[in-house]
């Protein structure tokens, strides 16, 4: 099978993480989430984590050189050699250019860019309901994708928690950051003929995945 080097693009709360869980299960690609890697660094209290935390708490982007370094190291791991799924990276044009350059050095290139397009008002609503399992990380939404028992993970009974940066003030700045710094990537990847749109507004995860699956099948 041809290699899939996939980017998931979309605003905060668009459903990238939820779609990523499904793509990973179906295609066996390693899930590379810069947000997740940065949250782990914050939890460990490493120098990089302490540096990243101040940006994350205010909903701003961590500096490009920090995130590019994290992705460069992660893509060099053996499990990424046969394909990967990037979730939350790139988020700026300089990050996209750095990614293209590091892949080109290895004779590789991005094969699919999937935009999960959700209107800004809906992003705020979705993030307010977002929860994740404190044990396995599985994502839920109390309104759109609830667990069988409120507050408890279906898979392992873990407590469901809310991310520190999922409060309303931070969400508004994250959406503004998306529109200013990340939305230009839509043009960047359209010009390369790579961008495919999976409209997510008003849709449940299964409905969005039906489109994402078709895009990745190509
Ligand atoms: P996410 O889990 O993708 O929503 O990311 C959470 C936060 O981590 C973001 O609001 C940023 O502060 C930071 N972050 C994640 N990925 C990146 C990236 N590619 N570039 C800069 N900051 C990032």
């Amino acid at each position: 099978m041809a290699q899939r080097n996939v980017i998931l693009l979309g605003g905060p709360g668009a459903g990238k993480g939820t779609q990523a869980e499904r793509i990973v299960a179906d295609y066996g690609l390693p899930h590379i989430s810069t947000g997740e890697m940065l949250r782990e660094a914050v939890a460990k209290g490493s120098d990089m984590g302490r540096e990243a935390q101040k940006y994350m708490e205010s909903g701003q982007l961590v500096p490009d050189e920090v995130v590019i370094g994290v992705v460069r190291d992660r893509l060099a791991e053996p499990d990424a050699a046969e394909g990967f799924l990037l979730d939350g990276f790139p988020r700026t044009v300089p990050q996209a250019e750095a990614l293209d350059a590091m892949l080109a050095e290895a004779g590789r290139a991005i094969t699919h860019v999937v935009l999960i397009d959700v209107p800004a008002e809906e992003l705020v609503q979705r993030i307010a309901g977002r929860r994740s399992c404190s044990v396995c990380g599985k994502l839920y939404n109390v309104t759109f994708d609830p667990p069988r028992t409120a507050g408890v993970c279906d898979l392992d009974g873990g407590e469901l928690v809310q991310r520190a940066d999922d409060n309303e003030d931070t969400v508004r700045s994250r959406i503004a950051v998306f529109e200013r710094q990340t939305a230009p990537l839509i043009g960047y990847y359209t010009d390369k003929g790579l961008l495919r749109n999976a409209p997510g507004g008003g849709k449940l995860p299964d409905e969005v995945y039906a489109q994402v699956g078709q895009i990745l099948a190509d």
Side-chain angles (χ1 to χ4, degrees):
M1 196 196 297
Q3 192 169 100
R4 289 188 177 81
N5 300 329
V6 183
I7 293 172
L8 270 183
L9 205 58
K16 298 189 297 293
T18 301
Q19 296 300 316
E21 283 175 355
R22 294 168 189 229
I23 295 170
V24 164
D26 283 355
Y27 292 93
L29 300 173
H31 179 195
I32 303 181
S33 158
T34 43
E36 206 48 58
M37 290 191 283
L38 292 168
R39 280 188 286 283
E40 278 166 21
V42 170
K44 275 199 209 126
S46 66
D47 287 348
M48 198 256 285
R50 275 198 298 275
E51 161 82 0
Q53 189 170 19
K54 43 185 204 248
Y55 298 97
M56 296 170 80
E57 274 173 354
S58 61
Q60 299 303 306
L61 294 184
V62 173
D64 284 340
E65 59 276 16
V66 174
V67 189
I68 290 167
V70 167
V71 170
R72 183 186 299 280
D73 291 349
R74 182 63 187 86
L75 287 178
E77 305 260 330
D79 67 338
E82 300 302 322
F84 54 79
L85 173 65
L86 282 169
D87 162 7
F89 182 95
R91 258 182 161 95
T92 64
V93 170
Q95 290 181 18
E97 289 168 347
L99 175 64
D100 282 344
M102 69 179 93
L103 291 173
E105 269 170 36
R108 304 172 72 186
I110 293 297
T111 58
H112 300 77
V113 180
V114 183
L115 171 67
I116 307 177
D117 202 2
V118 174
E121 320 76 72
E122 196 179 322
L123 295 177
V124 179
Q125 234 188 347
R126 288 195 193 198
I127 288 185
R130 174 154 77 178
R131 302 288 183 278
S132 63
C133 174
S134 55
V135 177
C136 70
K138 181 171 168 45
L139 297 168
Y140 294 91
N141 186 291
V142 295
T143 314
F144 305 110
D145 192 13
R148 285 194 291 272
T149 307
V152 179
C153 180
D154 293 347
L155 301 182
D156 56 20
E159 185 195 357
L160 301 190
V161 293
Q162 193 169 23
R163 266 169 54 173
D165 61 349
D166 274 355
N167 61 76
E168 193 161 338
D169 282 350
T170 312
V171 168
R172 299 239 173 241
S173 46
R174 284 159 64 207
I175 291 172
V177 163
F178 173 76
E179 284 169 353
R180 196 172 57 242
Q181 292 178 270
T182 307
L185 293 180
I186 296 171
Y188 180 90
Y189 289 116
T190 301
D191 290 348
K192 291 183 182 291
L194 289 172
L195 192 96
R196 302 284 301 274
N197 194 349
K203 292 208 169 71
L204 292 170
D206 283 347
E207 297 173 296
V208 178
Y209 192 61
Q211 305 172 78
V212 171
Q214 268 181 7
I215 292 170
L216 293 184
D218 283 352

